[in-house]
Structures are given as structure tokens and as C-alpha cells.
Amino acid sequence: MECHDAAVSYLSWVLIVLGVAFVLRHRRWCALYGRYSPVGGPCVPARLGWFLQEVPAFLLPGLLLLLTGDELTEPGRTLLVGTFMLHYFHRSFIYSFLTRGQPVPLRIVIFAAVFCGLNGFLQGHHLLHCAVFEHTWLTKARITTGLLLFTVGMIINIHSDHILRNLRKPGETIYRIPRGGMFELVSGANFFGEIVEWFGFAVAAWSLPSFAFALFTAASIGSRALHHHRDYLQRFEDYPRSRKAVIPFIM
């Protein structure tokens, strides 16, 4: 399959523009799902909703990988595509079936599924059909650094989600202060972990599409972390004032 440079460039800049728009739009208003869900309107059960919206990002690179077939010779391509798919395998087939969240508005599920599908195509197509890898690619320190950041970020993300899931007993709807792990430093520890993941991926891949996705991730879930932080401060009088929202010791 030939590389479509124009489509790669266009979709990458769309991610960057969407990230900027997301920050501007959500400086005051948070995306309406989870604790901010409006009353009424069509919703999807949390587990089904998370699965449907995350799985396109796993399926699209996998489909491109199958279509690529014998053309896949460089280990760098396999490693980076596999890294991307690993995250979305976890989000689609593990996280989504463990979550105890509230029903997700149908329009949020549709928007997220479309985004994940387009981004899955963008990252997969660029890595499989456009990126050029030197024979010494795997020996570069940048690759090791990026993949290490991705791994650390994923561990933080998974551990933080585990803490959040166990704040409530089955059937409970009350909110509690999350404690332990990175939550001792930031209110959005799970968001911080995912941001670290994708910036690590961007450092390893070193491409416009990967950096565009990392920037969009930081803009979208970083904004949500800020809203969560404000909500915790208003909801709990004893909430630790030393915690930051999403970046330890900074913001």
C-alpha cells in the first residue's frame, strides 16, 4: 500500500487544531460524561460505551498490518505499531470490562469512536507505509527513552485506574478522595500516566502524526484533569492542597 502523505499531514494538523480548540472550549466547561453527565438523553452502559469507542484504534492498525503482509520487514515498524495497539488492546478488552463508571452519552461514544478510528488509521498508515527506518534505528538512545516513557506512563495509568475502581463498593455512587501512587502528587494521576505514554510514543516514533496525537491527548485529558481537580477541591474540605491537577509540582 502506498503512502498518502497529504492525508497524513492533513489529519495530523486536524489533531493539533482540535487540541487547541478543545483547550479553548473546555477552559470553563468539561466534556459531558462521567461525573459531568447531564440528566436525560440517550446513554450507553459504561463498559459497552468504552469498548465501542476505544476498539477502532485497535482494529484499524491491525487491519492495515494484515494488509501490509510481507512488506513488514523492519522491526521498528512492528515495535511501534505493536506499542500503539498494546495500549488500545488494554483499553478495549481489559479496562472497558473492568470499569464501574456511569453510562456514557451516546454522542460522546460516537465522537470518540470516530476519533479513535481516524487516529488509528493515521498512526498505523504512517508507521506502516510512510515512515522510513534506518538499520541502526533500534540502537538510538531516543528510541529507548521514548519506549521507557511509554512503559512508565502505561504502568501509572493502569495503577491509577485500579485505585479509582476500588474507591467504591459495587452499587455505590459516592465520591471519595483517591490516595496512593501518583494520586499523592496530582488529582489526575490516570490522565498524567496516559499523557506520559503518548509523549513517550512520540519521542520514539519522532513524527508529526505521533506528536500531534500526544499534543491532542495532553489538551483533551489535561483539561479534564483540571476540572477534576477543581471538583475535588470544592467537594472535599480536607482535600490535600499540595496536590496539583495533572503535572506534579507544576500544574
Side-chain angles (χ1 to χ4, degrees):
M1 183 174 179
E2 65 181 46
C3 172
H4 297 282
D5 284 321
V8 168
S9 178
Y10 175 77
L11 288 174
S12 297
W13 282 105
V14 166
L15 286 186
I16 293 172
V17 172
L18 282 177
V20 173
F22 205 102
V23 170
L24 296 176
R25 172 66 177 80
H26 294 281
R27 287 194 305 178
R28 293 187 178 182
W29 299 280
C30 194
L32 300 178
Y33 68 91
R35 69 183 70 180
Y36 311 107
S37 293
V39 177
C43 289
V44 179
R47 292 179 177 179
L48 177 61
W50 277 102
F51 173 78
L52 292 176
Q53 70 184 40
E54 300 287 325
V55 76
F58 175 78
L59 294 179
L60 264 294
L63 178 61
L64 291 173
L65 196 60
L66 290 175
L67 292 175
T68 299
D70 294 337
E71 299 174 22
L72 189 61
T73 56
E74 295 96 336
R77 298 186 194 278
T78 307
L79 181 60
L80 287 175
V81 174
T83 298
F84 182 86
M85 293 179 67
L86 174 64
H87 171 89
Y88 281 103
F89 175 84
H90 173 262
R91 298 295 286 182
S92 302
F93 298 100
I94 299 177
Y95 172 82
S96 64
F97 293 101
L98 292 175
T99 186
R100 300 175 182 174
Q102 299 180 28
V104 185
L106 178 61
R107 64 184 185 87
I108 295 291
V109 173
I110 294 173
F111 173 82
V114 171
F115 170 82
C116 284
L118 288 175
N119 186 54
F121 169 79
L122 172 63
Q123 305 301 329
H125 175 64
H126 178 264
L127 289 171
L128 291 170
H129 307 129
C130 302
V132 177
F133 295 89
E134 301 173 359
H135 293 297
T136 58
W137 183 84
L138 288 174
T139 65
K140 293 183 178 180
R142 173 174 54 78
I143 311 306
T144 303
T145 301
L147 293 178
L148 179 61
L149 282 173
F150 179 90
T151 302
V152 170
M154 189 168 186
I155 291 171
I156 292 173
N157 180 252
I158 293 174
H159 181 247
S160 300
D161 283 337
H162 173 76
I163 291 174
L164 290 174
R165 276 197 304 272
N166 287 279
L167 286 177
R168 298 173 179 168
K169 297 177 181 179
E172 284 188 333
T173 58
I174 63 173
Y175 286 94
R176 294 189 174 94
I177 299 174
R179 301 186 185 278
M182 285 300 298
F183 280 112
E184 297 302 319
L185 298 177
V186 292
S187 298
N190 50 331
F191 301 129
F192 170 74
E194 189 164 350
I195 290 171
V196 171
E197 270 189 82
W198 293 124
F199 271 100
F201 178 79
V203 168
W206 206 254
S207 66
L208 177 61
S210 61
F211 276 103
F213 179 41
L215 288 172
F216 177 85
T217 299
S220 58
I221 64 177
S223 298
R224 193 163 184 82
L226 290 171
H227 283 280
H228 277 16
H229 185 65
R230 293 171 192 160
D231 181 70
Y232 282 132
L233 289 172
Q234 295 173 1
R235 192 182 295 269
F236 302 106
E237 293 183 359
D238 59 338
Y239 193 76
R241 265 36 185 187
S242 60
R243 289 188 193 179
K244 299 299 182 182
V246 65
I247 302 177
F249 312 112
I250 299 175
M251 182 176 71

